[in-house]
Amino acid sequence: MKRKFSPLIIGLVIMSILIILFYDVIFTFRSEFDVVDQPNDKVIPMFNTEIDRQIEEHTQSIDHRGYSKESRQNTINYLKSLRSIEGYARYGVKSTKARNYIELKIEFSNGKIVDQIYTGQSISGYMAPSLLMKVNMINGKAVKVYTNGQERNNVPESSIPDIRLMIDKAIAYDIIQHRDAYFVPAKTQEEINKEWQR
């Protein structure tokens, strides 16, 4: 005699599996510190200064060897294609889950949106809430900055590392996507062999 499973039991099993698979998505802990809606015009010139610095560091600095001579203009062109850059916490600023990082969401002028861009900046609800920002851009420059208000707990200069990281990782996203626009193409094995034969 075959056992019949009721639709209720099957539904509970499927629901349990989905909860296990998507636990981190379902049980995120969002708070008022995850809301980025406080304008702060003082951050705008700070952000634009760091944009200029990052353009130089990514294309001229001895710490970043191998960039092509076109990389500077390609970086500028990429930044001009951005409508906004927004930082958010993977599980919420006050979450105590492991692997909780600041990630970026980038919106392009053509309407394309990419998110879950890894920054490597870990955060934890055990510490003070982290600074989150959304930066609206026109022609490669910040024109409006919104935050979750955490920058106001310290002097303005203390926000520079967060600004720098945000721009650095936004540029790094394009470098990963379009490596040939930034670096001299790697030599082929045939070209390497010829150099050994000289």
Side-chain angles (χ1 to χ4, degrees):
M1 180 177 162
K2 290 184 178 177
R3 275 187 174 175
K4 291 186 177 178
F5 293 99
S6 75
L8 179 62
I9 293 174
I10 293 171
L12 288 173
V13 169
I14 290 171
M15 190 168 63
S16 298
I17 291 170
L18 289 174
I19 287 173
I20 290 168
L21 290 175
F22 298 102
Y23 178 84
D24 287 338
V25 176
I26 295 169
F27 297 103
T28 56
F29 185 76
R30 302 291 170 187
S31 71
E32 70 273 18
F33 300 111
D34 291 287
V35 180
V36 182
D37 62 354
Q38 299 180 39
N40 189 335
D41 291 345
K42 187 169 181 66
V43 179
I44 297 171
M46 295 167 62
F47 204 90
N48 287 330
T49 297
E50 288 305 314
I51 284 176
D52 293 337
R53 183 171 287 139
Q54 284 295 320
I55 290 170
E56 291 302 314
E57 288 186 4
H58 273 280
T59 59
Q60 305 295 323
S61 171
I62 59 171
D63 296 329
H64 295 79
R65 297 177 189 275
Y67 283 97
S68 66
K69 61 183 179 182
E70 297 82 14
S71 65
R72 177 184 173 81
Q73 189 58 49
N74 289 335
T75 304
I76 293 168
N77 293 343
Y78 164 69
L79 290 169
K80 286 181 177 181
S81 75
L82 304 183
R83 181 177 293 161
S84 68
I85 308 170
E86 182 174 358
Y88 62 94
R90 179 185 286 181
Y91 302 130
V93 168
K94 295 192 78 174
S95 173
T96 56
K97 288 183 184 180
R99 300 184 304 280
N100 191 20
Y101 297 99
I102 298 289
E103 297 182 339
L104 297 183
K105 178 170 87 170
I106 297 176
E107 183 178 1
F108 293 85
S109 298
N110 64 7
K112 177 183 173 184
I113 295 174
V114 293
D115 61 0
Q116 298 181 332
I117 298 172
Y118 177 75
T119 66
Q121 181 181 353
S122 63
I123 60 172
S124 172
Y126 294 118
M127 298 170 16
S130 295
L131 170 62
L132 298 179
M133 291 178 281
K134 178 177 182 179
V135 181
N136 293 340
M137 299 180 68
I138 295 177
N139 204 28
K141 295 293 184 182
V143 293
K144 198 71 181 171
V145 175
Y146 300 90
T147 76
N148 63 351
Q150 291 306 292
E151 77 284 2
R152 296 182 186 275
N153 295 328
N154 295 297
V155 296
E157 292 75 24
S158 66
S159 300
I160 291 175
D162 295 286
I163 294 169
R164 185 172 292 149
L165 179 73
M166 197 173 191
I167 300 165
D168 177 60
K169 296 305 178 181
I171 294 172
Y173 167 79
D174 194 56
I175 291 173
I176 292 168
Q177 300 301 310
H178 305 102
R179 183 175 174 81
D180 290 347
Y182 293 88
F183 291 98
V184 176
K187 292 184 179 181
T188 65
Q189 188 60 50
E190 185 178 348
E191 289 171 329
I192 293 170
N193 291 342
K194 283 180 181 176
E195 289 194 15
W196 280 106
Q197 291 168 6
R198 289 179 186 165

